[in-house]
Amino acid sequence: MASKKQTASKGSGKSTGKGAVVEKGPAGRKDAGKGDSKGGLSKSSAPASRKGRAVQVKQPKPWGLIFTFAGVGVVALGLIGAAVYVVWDRSQPPEGVTDFYGEYANYSEITEALQDGDVKEEDLENPWVVQQTHIDGEDPMAVPEYSITPPAGGDHLSQWQNCTGSVYDAPIMDGNAVHSLEHGAVWLTYDPALVDGDGIDQLATKVESRDFSLMSPYPEQGVAVSVQAWGVQYQTDDINDPKIDEFMDFYIQNADNAAEPGAQCANGLTTTTADQQMPTG
């Protein structure tokens, strides 16, 4: 016969083996220590996931900075594009220039064709573009003759005209000026019957202090302004024609068009026909 102590243990739950009794809830769930005196959940029984949860605040995008950097990028691309265009544009000769190289682009190309035997000098449309003899070498009084005026190349005199941004107030010898063209200079000429004093001063500003350039009057030229480099020429009746500056920018010391690259413009002849009392030629 069971004792009273054993009967009480069987009716109330399982023994822990240490004298403590674990009570079972209605669904067999272990509820010991999980409820308060009224059967509710205690504060300590709240889900752990709700404790210390970080609250994320969505930050607005910095549209001001984004638009600023985008604008800077567009401007930078525009500047790069403009620089590329300027470089490309300066690689092209100005429109309206008359060149005397025929099917060849410049002096370098035509002389290379001659050296390779692709063409003979006598077959050239304007053979004078490759003729560079100093005709006064044997005859000091020799005067070269030219097929165009002002001349833009050909045989010439042994002295070059000073072309360090030099502005002459009287005509100079064609043969000396052509020697300057051979060195890579640009020669600006004007017809004094068509350009007045203010116009002359305006043209002079394009040449003054600009190395490898020179300017002089050319009576009976028949056009207000003519600019010459070796083998090329541009003429206009408008002293404000922007092509004058474009021509000078492109052809002064143009490596492909200098018949004698590396030669200097200083230490040349500085006298005019008025000083020498000699005819032009």
Side-chain angles (χ1 to χ4, degrees), residues 83-92:
V84 170
Y85 172 77
V86 168
V87 171
W88 174 85
D89 188 52
R90 286 186 176 180
S91 71
Q92 306 299 315

Side-chain angles (χ1 to χ4, degrees), residues 198-218:
D198 290 339
I200 294 170
D201 291 341
Q202 184 175 329
L203 291 173
T205 62
K206 301 178 185 298
V207 174
E208 291 172 332
S209 302
R210 185 166 190 175
D211 203 11
F212 287 90
S213 69
L214 68 163
M215 169 178 156
S216 67
Y218 205 97

Side-chain angles (χ1 to χ4, degrees), residues 8 16 18 29-30 42 53 65 75 77 98 141 181 196 268:
T16 63
K18 295 182 180 180
R29 186 177 57 199
K30 294 180 180 181
S42 67
R53 184 176 181 180
L65 287 175
V75 172
L77 288 173
T98 300
M141 299 304 294
L181 302 186
D196 60 17

